[in-house]
Amino acid sequence: MRVPVEGEQGTVIKELVRQAENAAPKRKRKQSQREEEWVQRLVEKWGEDLGGMARDRKLNPMQQSEGDIGRRVRAWREGKRRAMEEV
């Protein structure tokens, strides 16, 4: 690895900053149809009980945490709400 010569270091840092500022915009993650179906089954069985959803070994075989399931349920509900507004 080559060590930058004095004066070159500033240009390297400036180039890195320029690249960081021009990063691709983040896209919001969309739930897959399969994930939506999975969350729907959990909500149908457990309602608002995220702890029950997290402990359900049959419907939650990957043992997602309460927090993770909560985020997915909120996203699922938001998607349902947006779909109803479009109609």
Side-chain angles (χ1 to χ4, degrees):
M1 181 173 172
R2 191 173 77 81
V3 177
V5 180
E6 191 173 320
E8 254 184 50
Q9 186 175 8
T11 58
V12 170
I13 292 172
K14 287 177 187 174
E15 178 63 22
L16 290 173
V17 169
R18 187 187 66 74
Q19 287 177 4
E21 290 171 349
N22 293 328
K26 290 187 177 183
R27 287 185 277 144
K28 192 168 184 174
R29 183 180 169 276
K30 183 181 180 302
Q31 284 185 323
S32 68
Q33 181 180 355
R34 188 171 178 144
E35 182 178 358
E36 289 174 355
E37 292 167 357
W38 171 68
V39 171
Q40 183 176 354
R41 284 193 307 271
L42 284 170
V43 170
E44 286 171 355
K45 182 173 181 181
W46 294 100
E48 298 293 319
D49 184 7
L50 297 176
M53 293 180 196
R55 290 186 302 274
D56 189 325
R57 301 208 32 134
K58 186 173 183 179
L59 289 178
N60 184 18
M62 299 303 288
Q63 294 294 284
Q64 303 299 118
S65 68
E66 283 184 50
D68 184 53
I69 291 173
R71 283 187 294 276
R72 292 171 191 250
V73 168
R74 280 191 300 278
W76 174 73
R77 286 193 174 126
E78 179 65 24
K80 277 183 56 176
R81 186 187 61 77
R82 268 190 261 124
M84 292 297 221
E85 289 175 355
E86 291 175 1
V87 174

